[in-house]
Amino acid sequence: MISFLFLIGISELVEWQEPPPSAETQESVEEIVAAALKVLKTRKLSWYDKEDALLDLMDVGPLGQDTLVRQLSKDLKKMESAYQKKRASLDKKFLSVATKIAQSRLNKKGLQKLDSVRKKLLLASRSSGLTKDIVKTVCNPALEEIVGILKITVTQVLDEEEDLSDALANIVEALDVHCFLNEYWLDAHKALLQAEGKWVKRAKKRTLPAVSSGHHEAMFLALEDLAFAAEIMPERDRAILEANKTLFPELQPEEGIGIRDLNILRIRAGIGALKVDIKLCAAGRGHSKDMVDHGFFDHHSPVKGKASPSDRARLAGTSGGAENISAGPSDGLGAIQSWWYSPGHHSNMMGGHGRIGLGRHQNHWTQMFGN
């Protein structure tokens, strides 16, 4: 007789395999999938109330996960289409309201006030006796008044029109649902890629129909751009900003940001935007690099052929005279702010130039101006 212990030993040597699902088990899976799918298709429940059905499809295996991916692909595509339509409507109304706010501020009294404060700012900024203290006590308050008259904020526009605020809230709520479903789609798709046979092949043919993760930030940035677009400014300045924007891809991002920030300041001050000169930017970037590589900080360069700002501009294939340099700021706005409080640099930025270049290397910045 074979002992009981011997049988146990033999059984341990046999590799255990999960038996294939029985007909009853398969039928149960199909019933769960059908029931969950019915819940997903109903319009009576919110998507958050349907989460149990989503979980059922995730937990039941490849059939449920594939069903989830297919259904959510349809729903997410519809949500993306609805989002784009609502965004277009929101943007159109937002710009209309923002424009009305801007126009209401520049009535006869508002224009007189703006003209008076601009003269006060320029009288100080272009004074031969400009000091850091005058920048703080005269220029800054004047600029704040100008910004208060001209600048339109997203909050101001939303506060002006309650329906607009409600429309934005509805879009944000829909985007939250979109992100919620995106995560389920991604989880189900990932599970299918780890399955076998036909499920993997099907999964590889499917791509997420719409990625909503960046929609929130993009929408609010777009509203900020629309608020700025509503500001009253000469068409010449608006055209220069648009032309400059097409050149920014050729620059380091923070160089473009620094140029745009200064131009917005100049437009609000009433002295006009400066055109980007790519060659001046290259000359400035080269001088910033030379200062780092050769260990000096000066407008006069020891590098052969680059002694003066005009030499460096000419070598780059353009012309230029006035120049600002800075060491330390990590971004374009920081560079502009460092020069704003330095009288000589401040005067250059507020001068009667026509072109601008800004070049960065590490934490060194060179700003160049041309007529």
PDB file of all heavy atoms in Angstrom, residues 3-26:
ATOM      1  N   SER A   3       1.861   4.801   0.965  1.00  0.00           N
ATOM      2  CA  SER A   3       1.548   5.581   2.163  1.00  0.00           C
ATOM      3  C   SER A   3       0.956   6.934   1.814  1.00  0.00           C
ATOM      4  O   SER A   3       1.171   7.472   0.728  1.00  0.00           O
ATOM      5  CB  SER A   3       2.822   5.786   3.001  1.00  0.00           C
ATOM      6  OG  SER A   3       3.681   6.687   2.348  1.00  0.00           O
ATOM      7  N   PHE A   4       0.227   7.480   2.748  1.00  0.00           N
ATOM      8  CA  PHE A   4      -0.390   8.803   2.598  1.00  0.00           C
ATOM      9  C   PHE A   4       0.669   9.878   2.418  1.00  0.00           C
ATOM     10  O   PHE A   4       0.549  10.783   1.598  1.00  0.00           O
ATOM     11  CB  PHE A   4      -1.257   9.083   3.829  1.00  0.00           C
ATOM     12  CG  PHE A   4      -1.906  10.449   3.815  1.00  0.00           C
ATOM     13  CD1 PHE A   4      -2.915  10.732   2.917  1.00  0.00           C
ATOM     14  CD2 PHE A   4      -1.485  11.447   4.684  1.00  0.00           C
ATOM     15  CE1 PHE A   4      -3.513  11.973   2.888  1.00  0.00           C
ATOM     16  CE2 PHE A   4      -2.073  12.684   4.651  1.00  0.00           C
ATOM     17  CZ  PHE A   4      -3.105  12.946   3.768  1.00  0.00           C
ATOM     18  N   LEU A   5       1.783   9.745   3.157  1.00  0.00           N
ATOM     19  CA  LEU A   5       2.865  10.726   3.067  1.00  0.00           C
ATOM     20  C   LEU A   5       3.516  10.695   1.703  1.00  0.00           C
ATOM     21  O   LEU A   5       3.907  11.725   1.154  1.00  0.00           O
ATOM     22  CB  LEU A   5       3.911  10.447   4.149  1.00  0.00           C
ATOM     23  CG  LEU A   5       3.460  10.707   5.589  1.00  0.00           C
ATOM     24  CD1 LEU A   5       4.562  10.311   6.559  1.00  0.00           C
ATOM     25  CD2 LEU A   5       3.113  12.178   5.772  1.00  0.00           C
ATOM     26  N   PHE A   6       3.642   9.505   1.111  1.00  0.00           N
ATOM     27  CA  PHE A   6       4.230   9.391  -0.207  1.00  0.00           C
ATOM     28  C   PHE A   6       3.379  10.119  -1.251  1.00  0.00           C
ATOM     29  O   PHE A   6       3.877  10.789  -2.131  1.00  0.00           O
ATOM     30  CB  PHE A   6       4.370   7.905  -0.585  1.00  0.00           C
ATOM     31  CG  PHE A   6       4.938   7.705  -1.969  1.00  0.00           C
ATOM     32  CD1 PHE A   6       6.290   7.888  -2.201  1.00  0.00           C
ATOM     33  CD2 PHE A   6       4.118   7.348  -3.034  1.00  0.00           C
ATOM     34  CE1 PHE A   6       6.813   7.700  -3.486  1.00  0.00           C
ATOM     35  CE2 PHE A   6       4.627   7.178  -4.309  1.00  0.00           C
ATOM     36  CZ  PHE A   6       5.993   7.346  -4.534  1.00  0.00           C
ATOM     37  N   LEU A   7       2.065   9.962  -1.126  1.00  0.00           N
ATOM     38  CA  LEU A   7       1.161  10.641  -2.053  1.00  0.00           C
ATOM     39  C   LEU A   7       1.302  12.158  -1.965  1.00  0.00           C
ATOM     40  O   LEU A   7       1.264  12.868  -2.955  1.00  0.00           O
ATOM     41  CB  LEU A   7      -0.288  10.235  -1.770  1.00  0.00           C
ATOM     42  CG  LEU A   7      -0.661   8.823  -2.204  1.00  0.00           C
ATOM     43  CD1 LEU A   7      -2.067   8.497  -1.726  1.00  0.00           C
ATOM     44  CD2 LEU A   7      -0.568   8.695  -3.716  1.00  0.00           C
ATOM     45  N   ILE A   8       1.471  12.637  -0.711  1.00  0.00           N
ATOM     46  CA  ILE A   8       1.663  14.082  -0.528  1.00  0.00           C
ATOM     47  C   ILE A   8       2.927  14.539  -1.224  1.00  0.00           C
ATOM     48  O   ILE A   8       2.975  15.564  -1.897  1.00  0.00           O
ATOM     49  CB  ILE A   8       1.711  14.445   0.975  1.00  0.00           C
ATOM     50  CG1 ILE A   8       0.357  14.197   1.606  1.00  0.00           C
ATOM     51  CG2 ILE A   8       2.156  15.885   1.164  1.00  0.00           C
ATOM     52  CD1 ILE A   8       0.320  14.440   3.087  1.00  0.00           C
ATOM     53  N   GLY A   9       3.998  13.738  -1.123  1.00  0.00           N
ATOM     54  CA  GLY A   9       5.261  14.086  -1.766  1.00  0.00           C
ATOM     55  C   GLY A   9       5.124  14.145  -3.260  1.00  0.00           C
ATOM     56  O   GLY A   9       5.652  15.035  -3.924  1.00  0.00           O
ATOM     57  N   ILE A  10       4.412  13.169  -3.856  1.00  0.00           N
ATOM     58  CA  ILE A  10       4.217  13.173  -5.303  1.00  0.00           C
ATOM     59  C   ILE A  10       3.422  14.391  -5.744  1.00  0.00           C
ATOM     60  O   ILE A  10       3.735  15.043  -6.734  1.00  0.00           O
ATOM     61  CB  ILE A  10       3.476  11.882  -5.739  1.00  0.00           C
ATOM     62  CG1 ILE A  10       4.383  10.677  -5.546  1.00  0.00           C
ATOM     63  CG2 ILE A  10       3.035  11.988  -7.190  1.00  0.00           C
ATOM     64  CD1 ILE A  10       5.600  10.669  -6.438  1.00  0.00           C
ATOM     65  N   SER A  11       2.408  14.725  -4.965  1.00  0.00           N
ATOM     66  CA  SER A  11       1.554  15.863  -5.336  1.00  0.00           C
ATOM     67  C   SER A  11       2.322  17.172  -5.356  1.00  0.00           C
ATOM     68  O   SER A  11       2.025  18.070  -6.107  1.00  0.00           O
ATOM     69  CB  SER A  11       0.361  15.966  -4.373  1.00  0.00           C
ATOM     70  OG  SER A  11       0.814  16.309  -3.084  1.00  0.00           O
ATOM     71  N   GLU A  12       3.349  17.277  -4.516  1.00  0.00           N
ATOM     72  CA  GLU A  12       4.136  18.506  -4.470  1.00  0.00           C
ATOM     73  C   GLU A  12       4.999  18.675  -5.707  1.00  0.00           C
ATOM     74  O   GLU A  12       5.444  19.757  -6.035  1.00  0.00           O
ATOM     75  CB  GLU A  12       5.004  18.522  -3.215  1.00  0.00           C
ATOM     76  CG  GLU A  12       4.195  18.692  -1.935  1.00  0.00           C
ATOM     77  CD  GLU A  12       5.072  18.611  -0.695  1.00  0.00           C
ATOM     78  OE1 GLU A  12       6.239  18.200  -0.850  1.00  0.00           O
ATOM     79  OE2 GLU A  12       4.591  18.963   0.392  1.00  0.00           O
ATOM     80  N   LEU A  13       5.264  17.537  -6.410  1.00  0.00           N
ATOM     81  CA  LEU A  13       6.102  17.624  -7.609  1.00  0.00           C
ATOM     82  C   LEU A  13       5.306  17.994  -8.847  1.00  0.00           C
ATOM     83  O   LEU A  13       5.860  18.342  -9.872  1.00  0.00           O
ATOM     84  CB  LEU A  13       6.782  16.265  -7.841  1.00  0.00           C
ATOM     85  CG  LEU A  13       7.758  15.815  -6.733  1.00  0.00           C
ATOM     86  CD1 LEU A  13       8.281  14.431  -7.060  1.00  0.00           C
ATOM     87  CD2 LEU A  13       8.905  16.799  -6.592  1.00  0.00           C
ATOM     88  N   VAL A  14       4.006  17.949  -8.787  1.00  0.00           N
ATOM     89  CA  VAL A  14       3.154  18.238  -9.936  1.00  0.00           C
ATOM     90  C   VAL A  14       2.842  19.742  -9.975  1.00  0.00           C
ATOM     91  O   VAL A  14       2.382  20.303  -8.990  1.00  0.00           O
ATOM     92  CB  VAL A  14       1.844  17.433  -9.856  1.00  0.00           C
ATOM     93  CG1 VAL A  14       0.952  17.787 -11.049  1.00  0.00           C
ATOM     94  CG2 VAL A  14       2.145  15.947  -9.845  1.00  0.00           C
ATOM     95  N   GLU A  15       3.155  20.388 -11.092  1.00  0.00           N
ATOM     96  CA  GLU A  15       2.885  21.831 -11.214  1.00  0.00           C
ATOM     97  C   GLU A  15       1.388  22.078 -11.275  1.00  0.00           C
ATOM     98  O   GLU A  15       0.682  21.490 -12.097  1.00  0.00           O
ATOM     99  CB  GLU A  15       3.541  22.380 -12.488  1.00  0.00           C
ATOM    100  CG  GLU A  15       3.330  23.883 -12.648  1.00  0.00           C
ATOM    101  CD  GLU A  15       3.996  24.422 -13.889  1.00  0.00           C
ATOM    102  OE1 GLU A  15       4.716  23.652 -14.555  1.00  0.00           O
ATOM    103  OE2 GLU A  15       3.776  25.608 -14.207  1.00  0.00           O
ATOM    104  N   TRP A  16       0.919  22.985 -10.408  1.00  0.00           N
ATOM    105  CA  TRP A  16      -0.504  23.273 -10.355  1.00  0.00           C
ATOM    106  C   TRP A  16      -0.861  24.278 -11.433  1.00  0.00           C
ATOM    107  O   TRP A  16      -0.163  25.259 -11.672  1.00  0.00           O
ATOM    108  CB  TRP A  16      -0.879  23.839  -8.986  1.00  0.00           C
ATOM    109  CG  TRP A  16      -2.367  24.100  -8.849  1.00  0.00           C
ATOM    110  CD1 TRP A  16      -3.331  23.209  -8.516  1.00  0.00           C
ATOM    111  CD2 TRP A  16      -3.019  25.356  -9.053  1.00  0.00           C
ATOM    112  NE1 TRP A  16      -4.552  23.803  -8.501  1.00  0.00           N
ATOM    113  CE2 TRP A  16      -4.399  25.140  -8.826  1.00  0.00           C
ATOM    114  CE3 TRP A  16      -2.581  26.625  -9.403  1.00  0.00           C
ATOM    115  CZ2 TRP A  16      -5.332  26.139  -8.937  1.00  0.00           C
ATOM    116  CZ3 TRP A  16      -3.509  27.630  -9.517  1.00  0.00           C
ATOM    117  CH2 TRP A  16      -4.882  27.382  -9.285  1.00  0.00           C
ATOM    118  N   GLN A  17      -1.908  24.067 -12.139  1.00  0.00           N
ATOM    119  CA  GLN A  17      -2.396  24.984 -13.161  1.00  0.00           C
ATOM    120  C   GLN A  17      -3.842  25.327 -12.889  1.00  0.00           C
ATOM    121  O   GLN A  17      -4.626  24.449 -12.524  1.00  0.00           O
ATOM    122  CB  GLN A  17      -2.282  24.359 -14.557  1.00  0.00           C
ATOM    123  CG  GLN A  17      -0.838  24.146 -15.006  1.00  0.00           C
ATOM    124  CD  GLN A  17      -0.775  23.619 -16.417  1.00  0.00           C
ATOM    125  OE1 GLN A  17      -1.789  23.220 -16.969  1.00  0.00           O
ATOM    126  NE2 GLN A  17       0.420  23.603 -16.983  1.00  0.00           N
ATOM    127  N   GLU A  18      -4.149  26.615 -13.088  1.00  0.00           N
ATOM    128  CA  GLU A  18      -5.532  27.046 -12.877  1.00  0.00           C
ATOM    129  C   GLU A  18      -6.403  26.458 -13.970  1.00  0.00           C
ATOM    130  O   GLU A  18      -6.064  26.544 -15.153  1.00  0.00           O
ATOM    131  CB  GLU A  18      -5.616  28.576 -12.912  1.00  0.00           C
ATOM    132  CG  GLU A  18      -7.010  29.104 -12.635  1.00  0.00           C
ATOM    133  CD  GLU A  18      -7.049  30.613 -12.620  1.00  0.00           C
ATOM    134  OE1 GLU A  18      -5.974  31.221 -12.734  1.00  0.00           O
ATOM    135  OE2 GLU A  18      -8.154  31.166 -12.507  1.00  0.00           O
ATOM    136  N   PRO A  19      -7.473  25.803 -13.600  1.00  0.00           N
ATOM    137  CA  PRO A  19      -8.351  25.214 -14.610  1.00  0.00           C
ATOM    138  C   PRO A  19      -9.012  26.294 -15.437  1.00  0.00           C
ATOM    139  O   PRO A  19      -9.225  27.413 -14.956  1.00  0.00           O
ATOM    140  CB  PRO A  19      -9.386  24.456 -13.770  1.00  0.00           C
ATOM    141  CG  PRO A  19      -9.407  25.172 -12.462  1.00  0.00           C
ATOM    142  CD  PRO A  19      -8.001  25.612 -12.233  1.00  0.00           C
ATOM    143  N   PRO A  20      -9.292  26.016 -16.709  1.00  0.00           N
ATOM    144  CA  PRO A  20      -9.966  27.007 -17.550  1.00  0.00           C
ATOM    145  C   PRO A  20     -11.338  27.314 -16.987  1.00  0.00           C
ATOM    146  O   PRO A  20     -11.936  26.486 -16.310  1.00  0.00           O
ATOM    147  CB  PRO A  20     -10.067  26.312 -18.913  1.00  0.00           C
ATOM    148  CG  PRO A  20     -10.017  24.851 -18.586  1.00  0.00           C
ATOM    149  CD  PRO A  20      -9.110  24.726 -17.405  1.00  0.00           C
ATOM    150  N   PRO A  21     -11.836  28.527 -17.194  1.00  0.00           N
ATOM    151  CA  PRO A  21     -13.147  28.874 -16.645  1.00  0.00           C
ATOM    152  C   PRO A  21     -14.227  27.954 -17.187  1.00  0.00           C
ATOM    153  O   PRO A  21     -14.234  27.620 -18.365  1.00  0.00           O
ATOM    154  CB  PRO A  21     -13.352  30.314 -17.107  1.00  0.00           C
ATOM    155  CG  PRO A  21     -12.458  30.469 -18.291  1.00  0.00           C
ATOM    156  CD  PRO A  21     -11.285  29.599 -18.026  1.00  0.00           C
ATOM    157  N   SER A  22     -15.095  27.558 -16.307  1.00  0.00           N
ATOM    158  CA  SER A  22     -16.201  26.704 -16.722  1.00  0.00           C
ATOM    159  C   SER A  22     -17.230  27.527 -17.476  1.00  0.00           C
ATOM    160  O   SER A  22     -17.190  28.762 -17.483  1.00  0.00           O
ATOM    161  CB  SER A  22     -16.854  26.078 -15.487  1.00  0.00           C
ATOM    162  OG  SER A  22     -17.434  27.084 -14.687  1.00  0.00           O
ATOM    163  N   ALA A  23     -18.156  26.839 -18.120  1.00  0.00           N
ATOM    164  CA  ALA A  23     -19.209  27.544 -18.842  1.00  0.00           C
ATOM    165  C   ALA A  23     -20.008  28.418 -17.898  1.00  0.00           C
ATOM    166  O   ALA A  23     -20.418  29.526 -18.235  1.00  0.00           O
ATOM    167  CB  ALA A  23     -20.112  26.536 -19.540  1.00  0.00           C
ATOM    168  N   GLU A  24     -20.220  27.907 -16.657  1.00  0.00           N
ATOM    169  CA  GLU A  24     -20.988  28.666 -15.671  1.00  0.00           C
ATOM    170  C   GLU A  24     -20.240  29.944 -15.290  1.00  0.00           C
ATOM    171  O   GLU A  24     -20.827  31.025 -15.164  1.00  0.00           O
ATOM    172  CB  GLU A  24     -21.255  27.824 -14.416  1.00  0.00           C
ATOM    173  CG  GLU A  24     -22.211  26.667 -14.628  1.00  0.00           C
ATOM    174  CD  GLU A  24     -21.519  25.464 -15.286  1.00  0.00           C
ATOM    175  OE1 GLU A  24     -20.290  25.527 -15.451  1.00  0.00           O
ATOM    176  OE2 GLU A  24     -22.230  24.497 -15.624  1.00  0.00           O
ATOM    177  N   THR A  25     -18.884  29.832 -15.116  1.00  0.00           N
ATOM    178  CA  THR A  25     -18.081  30.998 -14.741  1.00  0.00           C
ATOM    179  C   THR A  25     -18.097  32.034 -15.839  1.00  0.00           C
ATOM    180  O   THR A  25     -18.259  33.228 -15.594  1.00  0.00           O
ATOM    181  CB  THR A  25     -16.627  30.570 -14.454  1.00  0.00           C
ATOM    182  OG1 THR A  25     -16.612  29.586 -13.432  1.00  0.00           O
ATOM    183  CG2 THR A  25     -15.799  31.774 -14.019  1.00  0.00           C
ATOM    184  N   GLN A  26     -17.926  31.589 -17.091  1.00  0.00           N
ATOM    185  CA  GLN A  26     -17.939  32.507 -18.229  1.00  0.00           C
ATOM    186  C   GLN A  26     -19.275  33.220 -18.335  1.00  0.00           C
ATOM    187  O   GLN A  26     -19.350  34.421 -18.603  1.00  0.00           O
ATOM    188  CB  GLN A  26     -17.647  31.736 -19.523  1.00  0.00           C
ATOM    189  CG  GLN A  26     -17.580  32.602 -20.765  1.00  0.00           C
ATOM    190  CD  GLN A  26     -16.444  33.616 -20.709  1.00  0.00           C
ATOM    191  OE1 GLN A  26     -15.440  33.394 -20.034  1.00  0.00           O
ATOM    192  NE2 GLN A  26     -16.621  34.746 -21.372  1.00  0.00           N
TER     193      GLN A  26
END
